[in-house]
Structure formats: structure tokens, C-alpha cells
Amino acid sequence: MFKPLDLKEGSEKQTLQPTDVERVKCLIIGSGPAGYTAAIYASRANIYPVMYEGLQPGGQLTTTTEVENYPGYPEGVTGPVMMEDFKKQAQRFGADVRWGMATKADFSGEIHKVWIDDSKLIEAETVIIATGATAKYLGLDDEKKYAGGGVSACATCDGFFYRGKDVAVVGGGDTAAEEAMYLAGLCRKVYLIVRRDELRASKVMSERVQRTPNVEILWKHQTKGLTGDNGVVEGAVLVKNKGEAGEEEVKIKIDGFFLAIGHKPNSEIFAEFMDTDEVGYIKTIPGTSKTKVPGVFACGDVQDSHYRQAVTAAGSGCMAAIDAERYLSEKYS
Ligand code: NDP
């Protein structure tokens, strides 16, 4: 049994000047499969979760089309519909799902503080961080210029539009190899633009992509820019052997330009209080969702650089809610 906070069901709102302050038992930040699953479990455990959805309600899956590998959807489902289903299920058990973006955090005290949209302050006994990760871009102006006109960071989302056409994938890791092979099944030709003379991808993936007949690997190539009319990609300008003897400019004709150079976990506002790896992924105690701060838990892609699947994110969201419930239970026993 929980000793009641100063709360009844849900959360009690008090209006304090100059900042709006609200105290909750369980705050969930982020609304992908991890966040919604945490909300389902936390609601059913009666810890009255309040969830802030963030900038992209539903998370990365809302930018995908068909999801065919999530168990329970034998015919497949679109990412946005699946996320809407998750949300409805969380709300059915009373999760308080809200618009808003966490902009600052302070985990230095026993009560954890998180500011929403730089104004409202949430004081939470437990916080579940489910803020996900964002695809990285090269930082070229042309990526913005041709956004929506051939530049994409998700082959499984957008590959369909390039059936029978020529495309390029940038990157040399497992994601790039996987995306190149996926696109090879749809497109006439796939260039894999690799900045070094070897792939970072695992041996099995490297071998597989190198064996795929319509994938051409452009070793030691870097992208300088994109070309095309009316905001639609028609080609890319690459530099081979940049900064070395034999440096040369190479032009390729493509209709689609896919980035697969890694992801950036959305952990900045929490990083000061967390252990993170060199990329920024939050470290959790193995086998749990616990971070080094008691009462703060992390789940989904913000703490997982490896699997990054909807189903693994959902599983870790379940773990986070169970860990939060047990934390509160122990605190008040
Ligand atoms: P990685 O960080 O593993 O690879 C990123 C790739 O992008 C590297 O080849 C890197 O080059 C290249 N790159 C980075 N920045 C630039 C740049 N500015 N210009 C050109 N190239 C650049 O990211 P992934 O997303 O591929 O993988 C992340 C994790 O997820 C890994 O642990 C991976 O194993 C895992 N994963 C596993 C899968 C599976 O098992 N099925 C599928 C997908 C991912 P360089 O090598 O020179 O640094």
C-alpha cells in the first residue's frame, strides 16, 4: 500500500506564482512504444502516471509506414495507428497524457523536478525517461533544401516511394547495411556511401551487403552536396579520397538520399544527473531500468543503442513502470 502523497487520484494541481507547480507520483517523459507501455503498466499499478508526449507524439514510429514485425498485428499496422492504439490503451487505464515538452530537469533532490515548456514545474516522486533518439544528419544545407524531396533518414519508412529508382545510403554501420539491403529489394540500384575503406557493420551484415548484386559500395567517399530542380533530388556530388592524394569529385544520379549515420539519444536535459555513454545513451543498471538516481528510470531508445525496436522499447517501458511501482512501494512500506 502506498502512503498517500499529498495526492488524490491523478495529480492535484496547485497554482503557485510565478511558476505553475504540480506534484505527481509518476512522470513519464516521451510517448513512443516505451513511454506508452510504461503508462499502461503504471496506470494499472495505481501510480497515476502523467505523461508528456514531447515534440513528436508517438515518437519515431509515427514517421514510419507499415510495421510488420510487432507481435499481435498479423496483417501489419501503420506506425501512427499503432501508436494511437498504445495511447488509447494507456488512457483506458487512466494515464494522463498531455501535450508538452520537458525542457529542463533537476534530479539533485529527493523530489525530482522537471520543467515543461520552460514554465510549468512538475515535482515527481518517480520519473520515467522515454524520450527516444533522433536520426543524425550530415549537416549539409542541401539536406534541408531537399527535405521532403528525396532526403530521408528512414528507408523502411520512405523506401516504397523509390521503387525501381536509384538511391544512395550514407553510412557504414549495421543500420546503413540493413537499409541498403532493404532498399536493394525495392530499387534498381543502391549506392552505399562509406567514408572509410571498411564497414563498421557486423561481419555478417557486411558480407551480406557486399554480396547484394545491386548495391555498389563507394569506399572512401563523402557527400559534398545534392543536386536537383524544384527541391527534388536528382543527384549527389561526392568527394573521393578527401584530403588525400587522388582526391576527386564524383557525381552520381539518384532520386533518393538516405542517411544512416547513427542516432542521437534525446538525453541532453538529463545528462548532468545520469551516467551516459560517449554518445549520450543513458546507462541503466543491467537487467533493470534503474538509472543511478533513485526514482529515475530510463527505457526505450534513449538507453538502447543496440536493439532499437518497437517491441524491445515496449518491453523496457514495462520494466520501467514495474521498477517505479516497486520503488514507491518500498519507500512507503
Ligand atoms: P553506428 O554508429 O554503428 O554507425 C554509424 C556509421 O555512420 C559508421 O559507419 C560511421 O562511419 C558513419 N558516419 C557517422 N558520421 C558520418 C558522417 N558525418 N559522414 C559519413 N559517415 C558517417 O550507427 P548504426 O545506426 O549503424 O548502429 C547503431 C547501433 O545499433 C550499433 O550498435 C549497431 O550494431 C546496432 N544495430 C544493429 C542492427 C542489427 O543487429 N540488426 C541493425 C541496426 C543497428 P565510421 O565507421 O567511419 O565511424
Side-chain angles (χ1 to χ4, degrees), residues 188-315:
R188 191 175 65 165
K189 171 152 192 162
V190 180
Y191 295 100
L192 183 58
I193 304 170
V194 179
R195 68 178 173 185
R196 292 188 293 137
D197 57 1
E198 61 177 341
L199 296 172
R200 180 182 291 276
S202 57
K203 193 165 181 286
V204 59
M205 297 285 276
S206 301
E207 285 173 0
R208 214 177 284 164
V209 73
Q210 290 182 70
R211 275 201 312 267
T212 308
N214 59 338
V215 173
E216 181 182 345
I217 303 187
L218 301 176
W219 301 105
K220 295 185 80 175
H221 282 63
Q222 296 191 38
T223 311
K224 191 170 162 190
L226 300 170
T227 54
D229 280 334
N230 303 319
V232 177
V233 171
E234 291 174 3
V237 181
L238 315 176
V239 182
K240 186 179 177 185
N241 298 322
K242 193 173 178 186
E244 295 175 14
E247 176 175 322
E248 61 173 306
E249 196 170 276
V250 175
K251 290 185 177 160
I252 54 172
K253 282 190 167 189
I254 48 166
D255 300 293
F257 182 75
F258 290 85
L259 284 310
I261 58 170
H263 287 75
K264 187 171 174 295
N266 300 316
S267 61
E268 290 96 327
I269 63 165
F270 316 108
E272 180 188 346
F273 305 97
M274 305 275 100
D275 281 340
T276 59
D277 71 7
E278 66 283 359
V279 180
Y281 286 95
I282 294 175
K283 288 188 181 169
T284 51
I285 297 169
T288 77
S289 68
K290 295 175 189 169
T291 69
K292 75 169 187 185
V293 179
V296 178
F297 308 90
C299 54
D301 286 12
V302 74
Q303 54 84 56
D304 174 16
S305 64
H306 191 69
Y307 297 104
R308 300 193 291 107
Q309 298 300 302
V311 68
T312 49

Side-chain angles (χ1 to χ4, degrees), residues 35-330:
Y36 286 134
T37 306
I40 293 167
Y41 275 76
S43 314
R44 287 170 54 81
N46 275 357
I47 57 173
Y48 310 117
V50 168
M51 170 197 266
Y52 280 92
E53 292 186 301
L55 267 189
Q56 193 181 16
Q60 292 179 80
L61 270 184
T62 54
T63 64
T64 68
T65 49
E66 198 74 3
V67 180
E68 294 185 327
N69 55 6
Y70 198 91
Y73 291 101
E75 306 304 326
V77 61
T78 67
V81 167
M82 187 167 105
M83 286 302 91
E84 201 49 42
D85 283 350
F86 273 51
K87 180 175 175 173
K88 280 190 210 144
Q89 194 170 348
Q91 287 176 320
R92 182 181 151 213
F93 298 111
D96 184 348
V97 181
R98 305 175 183 176
W99 281 86
M101 173 93 181
T103 46
K104 187 179 154 195
D106 179 354
F107 296 154
S108 58
E110 196 189 333
I111 289 293
H112 307 304
K113 296 180 179 173
V114 176
W115 283 262
I116 306 298
D117 296 325
D118 285 325
S119 56
K120 187 181 177 75
L121 169 60
I122 301 284
E123 295 185 339
E125 293 214 61
T126 60
V127 176
I128 295 177
I129 302 171
T131 44
T134 307
K136 282 193 210 161
Y137 285 79
L138 294 168
L140 301 172
D141 288 341
D142 285 344
E143 288 169 321
K144 290 188 194 124
K145 183 173 169 188
Y146 295 98
V151 174
S152 168
C154 179
T156 35
C157 321
D158 300 324
F160 184 76
F161 302 114
Y162 302 93
R163 278 173 305 166
K165 298 186 172 177
D166 295 350
V167 298
V169 175
V170 185
D174 281 320
T175 303
E178 216 170 60
E179 305 235 314
M181 285 185 288
Y182 175 80
L183 289 167
L186 291 170
C187 303
R188 191 175 65 165
K189 171 152 192 162
V190 180
Y191 295 100
L192 183 58
I193 304 170
V194 179
R195 68 178 173 185
R196 292 188 293 137
D197 57 1
E198 61 177 341
L199 296 172
R200 180 182 291 276
S202 57
K203 193 165 181 286
V204 59
M205 297 285 276
S206 301
E207 285 173 0
R208 214 177 284 164
V209 73
Q210 290 182 70
R211 275 201 312 267
T212 308
N214 59 338
V215 173
E216 181 182 345
I217 303 187
L218 301 176
W219 301 105
K220 295 185 80 175
H221 282 63
Q222 296 191 38
T223 311
K224 191 170 162 190
L226 300 170
T227 54
D229 280 334
N230 303 319
V232 177
V233 171
E234 291 174 3
V237 181
L238 315 176
V239 182
K240 186 179 177 185
N241 298 322
K242 193 173 178 186
E244 295 175 14
E247 176 175 322
E248 61 173 306
E249 196 170 276
V250 175
K251 290 185 177 160
I252 54 172
K253 282 190 167 189
I254 48 166
D255 300 293
F257 182 75
F258 290 85
L259 284 310
I261 58 170
H263 287 75
K264 187 171 174 295
N266 300 316
S267 61
E268 290 96 327
I269 63 165
F270 316 108
E272 180 188 346
F273 305 97
M274 305 275 100
D275 281 340
T276 59
D277 71 7
E278 66 283 359
V279 180
Y281 286 95
I282 294 175
K283 288 188 181 169
T284 51
I285 297 169
T288 77
S289 68
K290 295 175 189 169
T291 69
K292 75 169 187 185
V293 179
V296 178
F297 308 90
C299 54
D301 286 12
V302 74
Q303 54 84 56
D304 174 16
S305 64
H306 191 69
Y307 297 104
R308 300 193 291 107
Q309 298 300 302
V311 68
T312 49
S316 69
C318 158
M319 290 164 65
I322 291 175
D323 288 341
E325 189 271 333
R326 289 189 182 153
Y327 169 84
L328 288 168
S329 189
E330 278 165 25

